[in-house]
């Protein structure tokens, strides 16, 4: 029980950090009008990079939310595909993962 609540705190923290990064990127992306030719500032490529980064962060935020839901349901750390417990070490690196290493590799 205590372990689950600390997992939840950890996930909430990661979610917060991720959302903060998305927020920063949103501000950056709003400046699109200033990006461009010959200004010596950020280029359109950087803008596109920020956009791609935001998309991956949004995907991450989504999976963190899914993991948080799992802590509430009491099946956090259980692989969605095969039902095996996910390695603690894997969860330490990827707290929001929903697949064990075998299933994650098989998915590729
Ligand atoms: Zn699995």
């Amino acid at each position: 029980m205590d372990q689950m609540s600390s997992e939840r705190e950890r996930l909430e923290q990661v979610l917060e950090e991720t959302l903060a990064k998305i927020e920063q990127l949103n501000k950056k992306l709003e400046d699109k009008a200033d990006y461009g030719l010959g200004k010596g500032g950020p280029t359109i490529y950087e803008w596109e990079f920020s956009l791609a980064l935001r998309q991956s962060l949004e995907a991450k935020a989504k999976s963190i939310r899914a993991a948080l839901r799992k802590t509430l349901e009491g099946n956090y750390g259980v692989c969605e595909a095969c039902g095996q417990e996910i390695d603690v070490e894997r969860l330490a690196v990827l707290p929001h993962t929903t697949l064990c290493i075998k299933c994650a590799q098989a998915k590729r």
Side-chain angles (χ1 to χ4, degrees):
M1 164 82 194
D2 281 335
Q3 203 201 330
M4 272 302 172
S5 67
S6 74
E7 296 292 3
R8 199 174 307 152
E9 271 172 31
R10 183 149 172 254
L11 285 166
E12 274 167 1
Q13 200 187 338
V14 178
L15 181 61
E16 230 169 79
E17 285 166 12
T18 305
L19 292 177
K21 279 183 202 156
I22 292 173
E23 190 59 30
Q24 278 175 6
L25 282 171
N26 280 342
K27 279 185 194 136
K28 244 182 162 178
L29 288 164
E30 274 170 23
D31 291 339
K32 190 183 182 183
D34 298 335
Y35 283 50
L37 302 169
K39 281 188 171 178
T43 64
I44 192 70
Y45 301 109
E46 285 180 69
W47 187 85
E48 284 187 335
F49 177 76
S50 297
L51 193 67
L53 193 61
R54 187 181 66 178
Q55 278 169 352
S56 77
L57 286 169
E58 277 169 350
K60 188 180 173 185
K62 202 177 154 191
S63 56
I64 297 168
R65 285 199 180 96
L68 269 171
R69 204 163 48 234
K70 280 169 174 288
T71 66
L72 295 173
E73 289 165 356
N75 57 4
Y76 175 69
V78 176
C79 175
E80 263 183 358
C82 69
Q84 299 280 324
E85 281 192 19
I86 302 170
D87 278 346
V88 176
E89 282 153 38
R90 178 166 163 77
L91 285 172
V93 182
L94 285 171
H96 56 283
T97 191
T98 55
L99 292 173
C100 73
I101 185 76
K102 272 188 211 159
C103 295
Q105 281 173 348
K107 222 178 151 187
R108 264 174 215 164

